[in-house]
Amino acid sequence: MKKTDASQQAITDIFHLVRSGQLEQAELKCASMRINDPEDVNIVGLHGAVLLKLGQTDDAQLALQKTIELEPGFAKPHEDLGRLFLIKKEHQQAAHHFSEAIRLDGKEASAFGGLANALAQLGKVDEAKAAHEHFVKLSPVAGTLLEAERLLNTGDLKSAEQLCHELQRREWDNTQVLRMLARIASDDDRHVVAEGLLRRITRLSPNEYLPYHDLGRFLVEQSRFPEAIEMFEHAITLNAGNADNYHLLGDTLAVIGRSADALAAYRNALQLNPENPHALAGQ
């Protein structure tokens, strides 16, 4: 899509703000640009993406839908809407928008990754597996991360970390890369570095439960149980259907002597997964 010089400069400025973690300032810049030109499709779409990062899903949805109205052939807003509907747990809608993004541009690995997630939530296991295979095939990051994990599992932390740093130079905010770097740092007893990476992931993905789940597990390993409980409880608010969050919460509550609360957490885990061995042991 054609961009004016002013629009291009604004987009550059907004990306800089996002990369430096200044999401509120990025949102204000987008809003200001939209006042001047409410139909600049690039700014409207970027505004929707920034609003989504801020967790303002209703406003993000309006901006992304407006982007599609202005430019029906633009794949990115469909992918962003897919992520938005995953957050809202509207998995059928999420799958629809990821599929539209793929129809419009079948070369984006991230759209296949999102589709795999949505289809898995819908219980469409075979279709989810096929989408995930496309994701791995298209994503050089996915293949490199698999190699980094292999190196990590063989104890070659230095080589695994080097691979991740090479990826990070291309995709500074890729949360999968940051997650792997956190695992490497933790295994190497660089706990301050690992915690910094895990907290950065929560800032980049504030509406996803897994970063809080991972941070909670890390805090348990550091015997920082009250902080870990906060992370598991927040993860549950984001995804109340994950049994692991409840059993980890139960384990942590039990460690600090909150037996009744631990029992309630184990019961919730069992309701979601009656054969959960951890919850059964807690009972």
Side-chain angles (χ1 to χ4, degrees):
M1 274 149 286
K2 186 177 179 181
K3 306 181 184 77
T4 66
D5 289 344
S7 171
Q8 182 60 64
Q9 185 57 54
I11 289 169
T12 301
D13 293 344
I14 292 162
F15 274 122
H16 176 74
L17 289 168
V18 171
R19 287 184 180 127
S20 61
Q22 301 177 71
L23 293 176
E24 291 81 4
Q25 291 90 330
E27 193 278 321
L28 288 172
K29 180 78 172 176
C30 288
S32 174
M33 289 296 296
R34 287 185 68 184
I35 291 170
N36 297 328
D37 187 354
E39 303 219 330
D40 184 325
V41 65
N42 300 289
I43 295 293
V44 178
L46 186 52
H47 194 196
V50 172
L51 287 164
L52 183 57
K53 283 181 178 291
L54 284 167
Q56 299 178 29
T57 52
D58 291 341
D59 289 339
Q61 184 173 341
L62 290 173
L64 294 168
Q65 288 171 337
K66 179 65 175 178
T67 309
I68 293 167
E69 178 187 322
L70 291 168
E71 180 51 74
F74 196 2
K76 184 63 166 63
H78 280 290
E79 184 177 339
D80 287 338
L81 276 172
R83 300 198 184 289
L84 184 150
F85 284 116
L86 278 179
I87 291 166
K88 289 188 169 186
K89 298 182 175 58
E90 297 179 30
H91 301 121
Q92 194 67 51
Q93 280 277 63
H96 165 73
H97 282 287
F98 284 126
S99 296
E100 276 296 291
I102 290 165
R103 182 182 68 80
L104 293 166
D105 181 2
K107 297 178 181 178
E108 284 296 324
S110 52
F112 280 103
L115 179 60
N117 188 348
L119 291 170
Q121 296 289 345
L122 291 166
K124 298 181 178 181
V125 178
D126 291 340
E127 292 175 57
K129 183 179 178 183
H132 182 72
E133 287 171 356
H134 279 291
F135 165 72
V136 171
K137 191 181 298 183
L138 286 169
S139 172
V141 171
T144 305
L145 282 175
L146 286 173
E147 175 61 12
E149 183 161 17
R150 185 190 70 77
L151 290 166
L152 176 62
N153 291 337
T154 61
D156 190 352
L157 276 64
K158 184 177 179 180
S159 296
E161 191 167 35
Q162 285 176 341
L163 276 181
C164 290
H165 282 312
E166 288 171 14
L167 288 175
Q168 197 180 24
R169 279 192 284 272
R170 299 200 300 268
E171 298 189 32
W172 73 277
D173 62 348
N174 186 304
T175 55
Q176 292 177 304
V177 176
L178 294 172
R179 191 176 185 224
M180 180 63 73
L181 282 168
R183 281 182 59 192
I184 294 166
S186 182
D187 283 5
D188 200 31
D189 294 328
R190 289 178 283 137
H191 302 303
V192 173
V193 173
E195 182 175 352
L197 289 164
L198 291 168
R199 290 193 182 278
R200 181 176 168 190
I201 296 168
T202 65
R203 292 193 296 272
L204 288 167
S205 303
N207 299 303
E208 296 179 14
Y209 85 91
L210 188 58
Y212 297 94
H213 174 102
D214 287 346
L215 182 53
R217 290 178 71 108
F218 171 83
L219 292 167
V220 166
E221 290 171 3
Q222 306 307 306
S223 301
R224 292 161 61 183
F225 302 117
E227 293 172 82
I229 288 167
E230 287 182 18
M231 293 302 111
F232 294 136
E233 287 177 338
H234 190 65
I236 288 166
T237 66
L238 294 171
N239 185 352
N242 185 287
D244 286 344
N245 287 328
Y246 283 106
H247 90 66
L248 287 168
L249 176 61
D251 288 347
T252 313
L253 289 165
V255 168
I256 63 171
R258 290 172 56 182
S259 302
D261 292 333
L263 188 59
Y266 289 135
R267 284 173 178 162
N268 283 325
L270 286 171
Q271 283 181 347
L272 292 167
N273 180 4
E275 297 182 3
N276 186 307
H278 301 283
L280 285 167
Q283 286 272 78

